[in-house]
Amino acid sequence: MNVSTDSEFIEAVASESGLLVEQSQLADSAVLELLEQSYGLNGDLRRIPTEKDETFRLQDGHDMYLVKLSTADEDPLIVHLQTACMEHLELTAPELPVQRLVRSLGGDPQVLIPSPPGPFDRVLRVMRFMPGELLAHHGASAGQLQLVGSSLARLGAALQDFDHPRADRLLLWDLKHFHRMRPLLDYVDEQHKRALAEDIFDRFDEKVVPLLDTLTSQVVHGDFSPFNVLVDPDAPEYVTGIIDFGDAVRTPVIFDLSVTMANLLGTDPSSPWEHALHVMDGYLSIRPLPVQELEALIISAQARLLLRALITGWRANQLPQRRDYLLSHSKPDWDRLAATAAAPAPHLPSTPEPDAPAIKETS
């Protein structure tokens, strides 16, 4: 990509991520017509607020579905990356509780919908609706959080041999671009927040950027957050559903774990790192990481939480009509960042044995 400044880079990555334009919405009746034509489905359609795609829950008799319609400025090949991830996991790791695609009447996992006002056709997909409680709504125990981490490690292991022509897509949330995001500080007014953010940028530049070309990389889920993980407190495996592959991308593996940890940082103000470290412990029980990657992981978890706060502030400025919705999702982030920064640095596990397998065998 030929851009001369970080600000231009941010605009270019945001554009490819489908985050710059406020999308027009299809009428529910039009979506129902598309579903009947392409999938033979009908019923009660309920819209679900999301970041960019139009998303719905469809009740057709006793069956429940999740319906997603991509925006007209998102390349259908990028949507196909997400679809292909799900298909790969269904074939190679059917034991993982990943949301399943429903094929169209023509046997396709996704259907292109012409969209003359936009640069691309829109993509219609239907998935089985997964019941369950969001991790975000459940106060998980230490052991349950470890199961969240081990589930993410197994998911990553199942994607190790997956590839796609758009795996190297540009994604604003991808932490391998974090060091180029300093211009987003222009949208931070309070001096104490800017100082906190500058410190995280400085430590990321010092500890993570020099390792970017050496970190273990592959296609990852990209958003294994408490809002994309379904749980059942009574199930021995705890994690019963993995949804939303919208941020799938090839990136360093530690950044996949950073997302989950970032969402748990500061959730217990008295011990801001504790919940995130339980997830890390569960992950490392399945997939050990070299100690230098663990050091980078600690900083990148904070960077991921900061990135969410910065992008939200920037997008609220870009899309004032969605300001309240956007800011409602990151209002506590600055307080959690401050609490985490004020706490002692977490103790890292020792370096794994040199001949230890990259992924432990599991029963």
Side-chain angles (χ1 to χ4, degrees), residues 58-134:
L58 176 70
Q59 178 82 49
D60 187 352
H62 295 294
D63 296 321
M64 187 87 74
Y65 302 94
L66 187 75
V67 178
K68 294 184 78 70
L69 188 61
S70 70
T71 63
D73 64 341
E74 184 170 33
D75 187 343
L77 283 176
I78 290 179
V79 181
H80 186 263
L81 163 64
Q82 306 160 26
T83 301
C85 272
M86 297 171 67
E87 290 186 303
H88 173 86
L89 291 166
E90 184 172 359
L91 289 173
T92 62
E95 74 281 1
L96 292 177
V98 173
Q99 198 160 38
R100 301 303 185 202
L101 290 155
V102 176
R103 292 190 172 268
S104 71
L105 295 175
D108 299 312
Q110 57 184 47
V111 176
L112 294 180
I113 308 298
S115 180
F120 298 110
D121 290 340
R122 303 183 73 177
V123 180
L124 176 66
R125 291 178 300 164
V126 177
M127 288 150 267
R128 296 286 177 184
F129 191 89
M130 299 191 79
E133 182 179 5
L134 288 172

Side-chain angles (χ1 to χ4, degrees), residues 203-245:
R203 288 188 291 120
F204 191 91
D205 287 349
E206 178 187 357
K207 299 291 187 181
V208 183
V209 172
L211 300 177
L212 283 178
D213 292 336
T214 65
L215 294 170
T216 306
S217 296
Q218 66 168 75
V219 176
V220 300
H221 179 278
D223 194 14
F224 203 83
S225 77
F227 289 93
N228 289 330
V229 176
L230 299 170
V231 300
D232 180 354
D234 297 323
E237 67 277 12
Y238 185 59
V239 174
T240 58
I242 300 169
I243 61 176
D244 195 351
F245 282 75

Side-chain angles (χ1 to χ4, degrees), residues 171-229:
L171 180 68
L172 196 62
W173 298 104
D174 186 355
L175 280 176
K176 67 172 177 277
H177 307 307
F178 177 75
H179 58 295
R180 303 198 65 177
M181 298 294 150
R182 282 187 190 255
L184 296 181
L185 290 173
D186 292 344
Y187 301 91
V188 179
D189 296 328
E190 296 90 339
Q191 184 56 41
H192 70 282
K193 291 181 180 178
R194 287 183 64 93
L196 175 60
E198 289 280 8
D199 178 65
I200 293 173
F201 272 113
D202 290 345
R203 288 188 291 120
F204 191 91
D205 287 349
E206 178 187 357
K207 299 291 187 181
V208 183
V209 172
L211 300 177
L212 283 178
D213 292 336
T214 65
L215 294 170
T216 306
S217 296
Q218 66 168 75
V219 176
V220 300
H221 179 278
D223 194 14
F224 203 83
S225 77
F227 289 93
N228 289 330
V229 176

